[in-house]
Amino acid sequence: GDPGISKSVMLNSVIKRVPKARIVVGTKSSRAGLGAMVVKDELLGTWGLEIGALALTNNSTLAIDELDKMYKENLSELLEPMSAGTITINKAGIHASLPARTSILASANPIHGNFDLKQPLSRQIDLPSPILNRFDLIFVLIDRANTEIDAKSVDYIFDSMTKGRKVDITPEFFKKYISYCRKLTPILSEDLREPLKEFYVNLRKLSFGDTEKGLPVNLRNFEGWVRLAEANAKLRLANKVEKQDLDIAKKIFMFCLKQVGIDSETGLID
């Protein structure tokens, strides 16, 4: 997103409301600080493991600010946890697989600071494709002048400075709600098989219109839709994932896809 639209504030707001969650800054995060590192105890002469943020937030959320400014070699540490939910270490005779079923919530700026609406968005996001492909959702936040929204923003900030902020749901209560939701394990309804299949097959047809330019929709996206549908069922405190949950997952996914991945001229995913 463009600068100055509260991306860091949003990340910190989530961290306050999610149990065990942490936040790191891309410019100040090393590969070992994210994953794990084999270290030697100089006193005893033995080797041990020092775990980083991804393992510490297992079954929780890790927020990463300034993702675009992280060194590319450090970014690679996200690949295994985001696809397999583990961190594998094979160094100094230590062979370990650490659990890292961690949700990643990250923010980044476009290459030139602000988005240029005349240029394709894909050319303005400086992140490797393997990383982008592992995010279930990508939102583009663009800051443009809007008299009504700008006036409301000033009023909101001014009131929060002078009167304090009033919230209907406190962070502490919301954290308890999330903790309870996580204990639920809603099952997939058999009724969702055909809608999921139809949605996936149709998007696959669109995505391979041009084999050189096409951004393939694959089974990783399919699993993402299921995760989103399950999450919505948990928020409803339901024991079964139903069509309404899948509809919301599809709606959110298509909203993101239309922002970053659909050619307006051809209608193909590009």
Side-chain angles (χ1 to χ4, degrees), residues 168-234:
D168 295 325
I169 302 175
T170 64
E172 292 75 19
F173 182 83
F174 193 84
K175 188 176 289 188
K176 292 178 181 179
Y177 169 57
I178 293 297
S179 296
Y180 184 82
C181 289
R182 282 182 173 166
K183 296 176 182 178
L184 303 175
T185 54
I187 59 174
L188 282 171
S189 170
E190 184 64 28
D191 297 339
L192 299 183
R193 181 191 298 270
E194 291 305 317
L196 269 170
K197 187 190 300 183
E198 181 182 0
F199 186 59
Y200 178 69
V201 170
N202 288 338
L203 276 183
R204 289 274 288 181
K205 288 179 183 177
L206 280 176
S207 66
F208 283 96
D210 186 329
T211 54
E212 293 184 359
K213 293 184 179 180
L215 174 66
V217 170
N218 53 39
L219 289 173
R220 184 173 285 150
N221 301 113
F222 176 84
E223 292 173 342
W225 305 334
V226 173
R227 280 194 294 271
L228 290 168
E230 288 175 340
N232 196 72
K234 289 181 180 181

Side-chain angles (χ1 to χ4, degrees), residues 50-243:
E50 194 171 283
I51 62 174
L54 285 163
L56 290 171
T57 51
N58 177 46
N59 287 326
S60 187
T61 299
L62 175 64
I64 305 177
D65 202 2
E66 307 286 358
L67 183 70
D68 56 304
K69 297 178 179 62
M70 188 180 289
Y71 291 115
K72 296 296 186 286
E73 58 268 25
N74 297 345
L75 272 174
S76 64
E77 195 65 32
L78 299 175
L79 294 176
E80 183 190 354
M82 291 183 75
S83 60
T86 57
I87 299 171
T88 303
I89 299 293
N90 289 289
K91 292 180 181 178
I94 293 178
H95 306 281
S97 181
L98 304 174
R101 295 183 61 82
T102 304
S103 298
I104 306 293
L105 178 67
S107 71
N109 292 323
I111 296 174
H112 303 296
N114 288 79
F115 280 110
D116 182 356
L117 298 182
K118 297 179 181 178
Q119 298 293 326
L121 288 173
S122 58
R123 298 180 188 172
Q124 303 182 67
I125 301 175
D126 187 24
L127 288 168
S129 294
I131 292 291
L132 286 175
N133 190 241
R134 279 168 168 77
F135 283 100
D136 291 336
L137 300 171
I138 299 173
F139 294 94
V140 176
L141 306 178
I142 297 177
D143 183 27
R144 293 294 182 266
N146 182 303
T147 303
E148 184 179 353
I149 294 176
D150 292 343
K152 286 183 178 179
S153 298
V154 172
D155 285 339
Y156 178 81
I157 294 173
F158 190 86
D159 286 343
S160 68
M161 290 177 173
T162 57
K163 303 175 183 177
R165 293 180 182 175
K166 296 179 181 179
V167 294
D168 295 325
I169 302 175
T170 64
E172 292 75 19
F173 182 83
F174 193 84
K175 188 176 289 188
K176 292 178 181 179
Y177 169 57
I178 293 297
S179 296
Y180 184 82
C181 289
R182 282 182 173 166
K183 296 176 182 178
L184 303 175
T185 54
I187 59 174
L188 282 171
S189 170
E190 184 64 28
D191 297 339
L192 299 183
R193 181 191 298 270
E194 291 305 317
L196 269 170
K197 187 190 300 183
E198 181 182 0
F199 186 59
Y200 178 69
V201 170
N202 288 338
L203 276 183
R204 289 274 288 181
K205 288 179 183 177
L206 280 176
S207 66
F208 283 96
D210 186 329
T211 54
E212 293 184 359
K213 293 184 179 180
L215 174 66
V217 170
N218 53 39
L219 289 173
R220 184 173 285 150
N221 301 113
F222 176 84
E223 292 173 342
W225 305 334
V226 173
R227 280 194 294 271
L228 290 168
E230 288 175 340
N232 196 72
K234 289 181 180 181
L235 292 175
R236 294 192 300 109
L237 307 182
N239 294 319
K240 182 184 286 188
V241 183
E242 298 177 353
K243 188 175 182 300

